[in-house]
Amino acid sequence: MLTNRAVSLLKRSAFKRAAAIGAVALATASLQPVAAQAAPVPVVGGTPAAQNEFPFMVSLSMGCGGALYKKDVVLTAAHCVDGSGNTTRITATAGVTDLNASGAIKVKSTKVLQAPGYNGSGKDWALIKLARPINLPTLKLATNTRYNRGTFTIAGWGDTSENAGTGSTKLLKAKVPFVADRQCKRHYGSRLIAGQEICAGVPRGGVDTCQGDSGGPMFRKDDSGKWLQVGIVSWGDGCARPLVPGVYTEVSTFSSAIARAAATL
């Protein structure tokens, strides 16, 4: 957080949370990926995820995370890309918790669709079309605010501490409680876009997403015991600071737009 959970894209006095140095450049019809600043490393305060525990998790080669929305479409953050267009330069890695494992599934992208109207504030979602389907479970999206409370799970390959820059290929997981807009605004004020963003974090600090986690899902179980995505890792001030929640794209706000966009890919 002073992180876009993308290292150097300064938005609303906070960095987005992707491990990258610049924005993605769109030239003609070819989308260029962000240059990586450091090898991805895991969630702050997390513990190792078991193999196949979160089979929908995806690591993206520009230093972001994501989740399988369809078997050939990854949902990630808009700030991880810059515009919409065709590209084969992004590689999605799935099927493993260790990115160096021999069983890793690697698939190139064919197209990126950034949220229409995205300008660096709110609407922080994007879709990446893959060259072929990945035969793994997808992650269902919340379509209303019913599940936007309680305790959420976060997982990713992002930094283990603020500006850590250390390398690890292991997927870590953690749990963070919902933080109401009113409480979240005590720190962020008007920078928080209520209705488009949802906050979560441990009051004492020590557990959070961080650089390199951008675009990854925040999720929980629904009433039937199935995983449901309620947020997309977006931004915040620093990482895991006391009384400073993480800010996530509120998936339920955009679920219909995401479905319409995915149908065009």
Side-chain angles (χ1 to χ4, degrees), residues 64-214:
C64 284
L68 285 174
Y69 173 72
K70 293 183 176 181
K71 291 185 182 295
D72 61 350
V73 177
V74 175
L75 176 62
T76 188
H79 73 259
C80 289
V81 300
D82 185 16
S84 301
N86 298 325
T87 181
T88 59
R89 300 196 180 194
I90 298 170
T91 300
T93 301
V96 292
T97 56
D98 185 338
L99 297 178
N100 289 332
S102 59
I105 301 168
K106 295 181 181 290
V107 181
K108 293 287 188 180
S109 61
T110 61
K111 185 182 293 186
V112 170
L113 194 159
Q114 190 183 62
Y118 174 73
N119 64 2
S121 181
K123 298 182 181 179
D124 197 7
W125 64 267
L127 296 171
I128 298 175
K129 175 75 170 181
L130 302 178
R132 62 178 176 83
I134 295 176
N135 191 25
L136 290 171
T138 58
L139 182 57
K140 183 179 177 182
L141 303 189
T143 57
N144 56 58
T145 61
R146 178 180 177 185
Y147 295 104
N148 287 5
R149 304 200 182 284
T151 299
F152 309 121
T153 297
I154 52 175
W157 292 272
D159 284 356
T160 52
S161 64
E162 192 172 321
N163 299 316
T166 55
S168 171
T169 62
K170 302 297 195 304
L171 178 68
L172 290 198
K173 63 179 180 178
K175 290 188 178 295
V176 287
F178 168 74
V179 175
D181 288 347
R182 182 190 61 217
Q183 183 178 349
C184 196
K185 283 186 174 182
R186 290 176 186 169
H187 176 79
Y188 291 112
S190 62
R191 289 184 293 159
L192 180 71
I193 304 177
Q196 292 191 24
E197 296 173 328
I198 181 172
C199 298
V202 177
R204 70 178 182 277
V207 180
D208 200 2
T209 51
C210 201
Q211 290 99 327
D213 290 320
S214 277

